[in-house]
Structures are given as structure tokens and as C-alpha cells.
Amino acid sequence: MMSGPQLLSPQQQVPRSLWSLLCMTTLLLSSIQLTIATSTTSSSDDNNNGNKKDLSAGKLRQLAENALMERKFTDAESYYRQAISVEPTNSANHYKLYNLHKRMRSYGDALGDITTACELLEKSEDNDGNSSGKNKNKTMEYKRIKAKLLVNLGRCEDAVSEYKSLNEVNEDATNCAHVTNAALSAYQQSDWSSAIQHFGNVLTNYATLGDTPDLLYMKSQAEYNVGDYYGTISDTGKILKSYPQHLEAYQLRGEAYFRLNEMDMAQKHFREGLKLDPEHGGCKEGHRLLKKVTKNDKRGDAAFEKGEYKEAIGLWWGAMNVDIEHLAFVRPTLLKVVRAHLALKEYAKAEEECMKHVNNQDSVEGLHLLGEVQSSAEKYQESLRSYQRALEIAPDDQKQHCKRKVEEAQVALKQSKEKNYYKILSVPRNAKLKEIKKSYRELALQWHPDKNTDNK
């Protein structure tokens, strides 16, 4: 049976050498076409760029408006700046750039734009001698816009001066200037509470745009000085959001975190400041103190874990003595010292140190530890009172735990009036099973009949 005709592949139909030649020719032609297309595109782009450079100010403003509608703010800014380079004395270009910068929340740039627009209009009036009513009205309109922006930026004295140049009095500007002056006066006199109140009034009711780093920084300093560290962190955070290279804000925020015993965050802010200026005195000093405190604290923790309790106590006191008034660090560290004395069975010293914590300010943790120390020292009645006090001040989510502690203290008090096997074994009531067994074996060996033949 004969098979049908078979098709040959292109390689079989054409000699091998000729086939290779055809392939190379095809590739070469494709490369030439690509080069031509690229060259044409590049030439077209160059022509377009050249055309944009030759555009009129009006056309550039139109391109900027189109970019604005597409929210391409960077492109719009570029077109407006080109328009300004074409018509540098046209106040309308600067006014449009002001509106763009305000929309972009670049309020400092916006103020510069509207100021230039006002200056150009005034200069035009001076040059023309008898200025038209239309130009004069536009100048007054721009000045009012500038004055309002100054109020919103907290520069209220400047705003009052601007309104005076128009022979006008603006109530918001006048009130803002009065409150700002009161805030500055209180700040200079270290009347921190009044300064906070007045700065808050300015920032809430007048300087509403948020681009007020100087006022915010002074308010942050006042908050720090009254111990409102969370307020300091909040306000310096606003500064750094708009001005990420504000060194003093990094320093003050780091110090606030340090005061709250949030050492990692404090270190982060001091380091950020030192990246910007390795020789910044405030950040260097803050970082040095932080390292001194944390180094001793960590070494104390390590010594405690190894059972080197006396060394741990010394290291922790070294950390606390860097700044004994730094209560956010001193208070919890003092409780670690108490636990070390407790482990050494130095109950009197443990109670003394724990009372420092409690007398400064009651805390559930401090009162529970005091109760534990008193129980170990067999002061069962005092221990019960400490646990009861902890229950009184405990938040709702800790009530159940505190109730159990009171019940345990009541049981311990009752047992203390009976035969106390813990006392016989010379172990505390909270001793672990391993300690109890060890003490029992030692006493059993000590009092074994074979070793006490004379003691009948």
C-alpha cells in the first residue's frame, strides 16, 4: 500500500548553507528596522521637548491645569515654573503656583509664592504711577490671602501688619496675635502649664494648617517640663512628619521616650539625630546616658539569672543612680532589687527596699511582692494587709488574681497559729518541692538515731 505524498521541512527544501544565509539576512533586516524606529521616536521626543521649551506662558499654564486635573502635581509645578521663567513679572503665574503648593500642603512654599505675587503687583503699580482700580483690587485681594495664610501658619503678628497695610483690622489675626504673645511670655517665664494652654489655643483655633514647627516645638518642651511625655511624643511626631531633619525634635522625643522607660524607642530617636549630625550635643548626651543605664540593667539581669544576687543588686543600683529621679525606670528596677534580697533571704532589707516603691506610689505588683516578703519573714498579718490593699486598688482585669492572693494569705495566717512544718524545715511557704525535699533529707540525716545515740 503506497503512502501519500510527504511534505518537506524548509531545511530539507533549501540547501543548508543557503538557509543559514537567509536567516542571517532576516535578523539583520529586523535589527535595522528597530534602529530606525528608535531613532525616529527619539527624534520625535526631542522635537516635542524643544516645542515645550518654546511654548508660551499661556500654553504652559494650560498644560499645568491639565496636569492638575489628572492630579499630576509634580508635572503641574514644572509647567508653572516654566511659565514663570517665560513671564517672570506676571503675578498670575505666582498666584497659580501658590494655589498648587497650598493644595500640595507645601505651605511654606505657598507663602513665598503669594508674597512674590503681592510684590510684583505693587511694583507694577509703582512703575505705572497711576494704577488701575482693577490692579489695586487684585493687590488687596492677594494681601488678604497672604494675611489669612499667615494666621493659619501661626505668624499672627505678621498677619496683623499685613492687614494694617490695607488699613483693615481682622479679629482673628488680632486675637491670634494676643494669644501667641501670651504663650511666648509664659514660655519665657517657665510657666509651663500656661504656655501649654495658650499654645494649644493658637494651634487649635488659628494655626490650623499644622505647618507650625516652632510653636509645636515650644509646646512640646513645655509638656516635657510638666511631665506630659506622651504629649511631647505626639507633638514632636507632628514636627518630624513635616520636617524629618529637625534635630531638636529627635532629641526631645528621645528624651521623652527615655523618661517613659521605653529605651528602644529612645535609642532609635537619638541615633536618627546622630545620623543627621554626629556631633549634635543633645543627642550624644542622651544616647550616652541611655547606654549607661541599659548596660548596667542588662548586666544585672544576667547576674541574677546566674544566681549572683549581690552582684545583680550592685549593677541595678548603678543603673538607678545615673538618674535616681527617673521613676519610670527606678520603680520597676527597685522591685528587681527586692527579689534579689528575697533570694538571699535578706528579708528585712527586702522589705525596706519594697517599702520605698510602695511609699512612692502603690502598685499591685509592688504590694504583692511586699506581701511575699512579709510572708517569708513570717509577718503573716502584715502580709495579709498588703494583699488586701492590692485588691482595693486593682483594676477589674486583675481582681480575680488579687482575690486568690488574699485567700492564700488568710490560709497562711491561719496555719501560722498551728504547727508550722515549713518553719520546722526552715523553708519559706512558697518554697518549691525540690527545696522542701532537700531540707527534709538534711534534717533527717542530722537527727538520725545512729548519729544521736546520746539524745534519747
Side-chain angles (χ1 to χ4, degrees), residues 421-437:
Y421 293 102
Y422 290 102
K423 187 174 182 179
I424 293 170
L425 293 172
S426 300
V427 295
R429 287 184 175 274
N430 59 353
K432 294 178 182 178
L433 183 60
K434 187 177 179 181
E435 292 178 76
I436 295 171
K437 286 182 176 180

Side-chain angles (χ1 to χ4, degrees), residues 245-456:
Q245 295 189 338
H246 199 299
L247 284 165
E248 284 69 27
Y250 277 117
Q251 178 193 340
L252 187 57
R253 203 164 199 238
E255 289 174 356
Y257 274 120
F258 179 76
R259 287 288 156 193
L260 290 170
N261 201 28
E262 295 187 28
M263 299 302 190
D264 289 340
M265 288 298 291
Q267 185 178 62
K268 176 184 174 183
H269 282 79
F270 289 139
R271 284 180 174 176
E272 287 296 325
L274 291 171
K275 282 181 189 176
L276 296 170
D277 179 5
E279 298 304 317
H280 188 267
C283 289
K284 279 179 76 173
E285 180 63 15
H287 192 261
R288 186 188 70 80
L289 286 175
L290 182 145
K291 290 293 288 182
K292 190 173 181 181
V293 169
T294 55
K295 184 179 179 180
N296 280 336
D297 185 40
K298 287 176 182 177
R299 287 173 61 194
D301 291 345
F304 185 86
E305 289 298 318
K306 292 177 186 176
E308 298 168 355
Y309 303 121
K310 287 190 178 296
E311 184 179 350
I313 291 168
L315 288 165
W316 284 327
W317 272 110
M320 288 188 286
N321 283 330
V322 171
D323 184 356
I324 201 65
E325 294 182 1
H326 182 193
L327 296 181
F329 174 76
V330 168
R331 283 175 55 76
T333 306
L334 199 55
L335 295 184
K336 293 197 284 189
V337 169
V338 172
R339 291 187 181 94
H341 283 300
L342 188 58
L344 291 167
K345 298 184 179 180
E346 297 174 350
Y347 303 129
K349 191 64 177 176
E351 185 174 8
E352 178 189 335
E353 301 293 14
C354 203
M355 287 302 296
K356 291 177 184 176
H357 175 99
V358 172
N359 289 338
N360 173 260
Q361 185 180 346
D362 278 349
S363 73
V364 171
E365 184 183 9
L367 287 164
H368 278 181
L369 186 55
L370 179 61
E372 183 181 345
V373 169
Q374 290 165 334
S375 177
S376 299
E378 299 183 8
K379 296 181 177 181
Y380 300 110
Q381 191 64 55
E382 292 93 329
S383 174
L384 177 58
R385 280 199 292 268
S386 296
Y387 284 120
Q388 287 172 333
R389 174 61 184 151
L391 177 59
E392 290 172 10
I393 67 167
D396 291 341
D397 61 338
Q398 294 185 38
K399 288 289 186 187
Q400 283 301 116
H401 174 66
C402 290
K403 282 179 183 177
R404 285 197 298 273
K405 288 288 184 182
V406 169
E407 289 167 2
E408 290 170 6
Q410 288 170 336
V411 170
L413 176 61
K414 182 179 179 182
Q415 289 176 346
S416 69
K417 297 172 182 176
E418 301 168 355
K419 197 165 189 178
N420 188 345
Y421 293 102
Y422 290 102
K423 187 174 182 179
I424 293 170
L425 293 172
S426 300
V427 295
R429 287 184 175 274
N430 59 353
K432 294 178 182 178
L433 183 60
K434 187 177 179 181
E435 292 178 76
I436 295 171
K437 286 182 176 180
K438 182 183 176 184
S439 181
Y440 178 82
R441 290 192 191 100
E442 289 174 352
L443 289 170
L445 285 171
Q446 181 182 344
W447 296 102
H448 194 278
D450 293 344
K451 291 188 177 184
N452 293 275
T453 55
D454 296 335
N455 189 352
K456 301 296 182 182

Side-chain angles (χ1 to χ4, degrees), residues 121 125 130-141:
L121 277 174
E125 288 178 17
N130 232 338
S131 61
S132 67
K134 185 177 180 181
N135 268 359
K136 191 169 183 179
N137 288 339
K138 186 175 285 188
T139 303
M140 294 177 72
E141 178 192 348

Side-chain angles (χ1 to χ4, degrees), residues 108-123:
D109 291 333
L111 181 59
D113 298 328
I114 195 65
T115 300
T116 303
C118 290
E119 289 170 352
L120 288 172
L121 277 174
E122 288 177 325
K123 190 175 180 181

